Amino acid sequence: RGSLLTDKYKIFGGKEMEQLAKLQEKLKITAFKMKVIAVLSMLIDHYAAVMILSATGIKSLSQSMQVQYSLMRGIGRIAFPIFAFLVVEGFLKTKDRKKYALRMLIFAIISTPAYNIAFGQAFIYTRKFLIAFIFGNVMWTFLLAIVMMSIMEIIEQKNLNIIVSYICYAVIIAVFAFIAENIKCDRKALGIISIGLFYILRTCRVKQVISGILSFYFHHPMSYLGLIPILFYNGERGKDFRYFFYIFYPLHLFIFALLRWQIYGIGSLIK
């Protein structure tokens, strides 16, 4: 459960890794600072999605507003790689895995109405939409990932042959990616795959970043910017405002939904 900086010299070695370590120490990018970057990115993204797109529709936007909207959504792509990485870091460093998973479950449930009201989804009686309504927000993705990593950890503890272990990892990731796709949680299979790779490669930061480059190739080019703070992360928590970040997710969505309703008169929970 040690820091993700563990064994970086052993795996790569050389002056390049020493220089990276010095930069990590100099820049002092802690988990707290990474969360701030991710939250600001997410805030810009959700403002565009809720206040611009959901309220007015893309076709009604002027050309300049469409450019602004696309830029804001692009900035928002920075958030997920950072959050995905920090879910792995949290899993590795938490003192109680069950409480970590329970906390994610509680906030996933709390965030469900916030997410669906903010994005203007209405409750209708079709199986596909009901699943999307319930599991749409990213907290469900992270909860799935925590369960997935718990199973992968059990496999590790059995000290299996390395080939057998990696086959097991691939199967586990594939199963959870399939679940994510079918329950329509945020980022779906891509989210699960990226978190799974971050976990497997946790002893080498450079390999984690390379896995991110490959994973987020299918997402959005701006996602790559989220890999920069990951590369220079120094392994330290920094300021402990964990509950603020959990609360911020549903709270900012409720606020955006309220603002949209006040300004545009748009928003419903039940249809």
Side-chain angles (χ1 to χ4, degrees):
R1 295 191 187 187
S3 167
L4 296 188
L5 301 177
T6 303
D7 293 337
K8 65 182 176 186
Y9 295 109
K10 180 180 177 181
I11 293 175
F12 272 87
K15 293 183 179 179
E16 292 80 5
M17 289 300 102
E18 291 180 7
Q19 291 172 353
L20 176 59
K22 288 178 181 178
L23 279 171
Q24 289 169 340
E25 184 176 353
K26 183 178 180 180
L27 294 174
K28 300 185 185 301
I29 297 179
T30 62
F32 172 78
K33 291 179 180 178
M34 291 174 70
K35 287 176 183 177
V36 171
I37 294 170
V39 162
L40 291 175
S41 167
M42 178 181 68
L43 188 65
I44 292 169
D45 178 54
H46 288 172
Y47 176 84
V50 177
M51 298 301 294
I52 297 178
L53 183 65
S54 295
T56 61
I58 194 70
K59 292 182 180 179
S60 64
L61 297 178
S62 65
Q63 187 172 0
S64 61
M65 280 298 295
Q66 288 186 29
V67 172
Q68 180 182 333
Y69 167 79
S70 297
L71 178 60
M72 293 175 76
R73 295 307 305 270
I75 291 171
R77 302 310 96 187
I78 296 170
F80 187 81
I82 297 174
F83 281 133
F85 175 84
L86 290 174
V87 166
V88 176
E89 180 77 343
F91 178 81
L92 293 170
K93 292 187 173 181
T94 185
K95 295 178 181 178
D96 192 323
R97 300 277 171 77
K98 290 181 180 179
K99 286 185 178 179
Y100 186 49
L102 179 61
R103 187 161 60 243
M104 198 67 72
L105 172 62
I106 290 170
F107 280 95
I109 294 170
I110 293 171
S111 300
T112 293
Y115 181 89
N116 288 280
I117 294 171
F119 288 98
Q121 297 190 39
F123 186 98
I124 57 177
Y125 292 99
T126 66
R127 179 177 173 273
K128 183 176 180 181
F129 205 93
L130 177 59
I131 290 175
F133 180 89
I134 295 174
F135 298 107
N137 74 75
V138 76
M139 293 290 191
W140 294 109
T141 310
F142 295 154
L143 178 62
L144 274 180
I146 291 170
V147 176
M148 176 185 71
M149 289 186 287
S150 297
I151 296 173
M152 294 171 76
E153 186 178 54
I154 293 171
I155 297 297
E156 288 176 358
Q157 293 169 350
K158 293 186 179 296
N159 296 317
L160 301 174
N161 176 282
I162 188 168
I163 297 176
V164 175
S165 295
Y166 276 102
I167 291 173
C168 290
Y169 296 154
V171 171
I172 292 166
I173 291 174
V175 169
F176 278 86
F178 176 80
I179 294 171
E181 279 290 324
N182 281 273
I183 67 173
K184 310 298 180 185
C185 58
D186 200 14
R187 300 297 179 266
K188 302 176 185 176
L190 173 64
I192 293 296
I193 292 169
S194 62
I195 294 172
L197 291 175
F198 280 154
Y199 176 78
I200 293 170
L201 302 171
R202 64 191 180 276
T203 57
C204 179
R205 187 68 52 71
V206 174
K207 288 184 179 180
Q208 285 182 306
V209 170
I210 292 171
S211 76
I213 292 171
L214 297 175
S215 298
F216 296 111
Y217 174 81
F218 301 100
H219 188 216
H220 192 286
M222 291 286 281
S223 299
Y224 292 153
L225 294 179
L227 299 175
I228 296 173
I230 291 174
L231 180 63
F232 295 113
Y233 167 57
N234 66 4
E236 297 177 8
R237 174 186 287 177
K239 296 178 182 179
D240 187 7
F241 286 89
R242 74 185 80 176
Y243 286 104
F244 167 78
F245 293 108
Y246 280 106
I247 294 169
F248 180 84
Y249 183 73
L251 181 62
H252 87 282
L253 290 174
F254 271 127
I255 291 172
F256 280 159
L258 179 61
L259 288 173
R260 187 186 60 186
W261 178 72
Q262 288 290 330
I263 296 170
Y264 301 103
I266 300 172
S268 63
L269 176 62
I270 299 177
K271 182 177 179 180

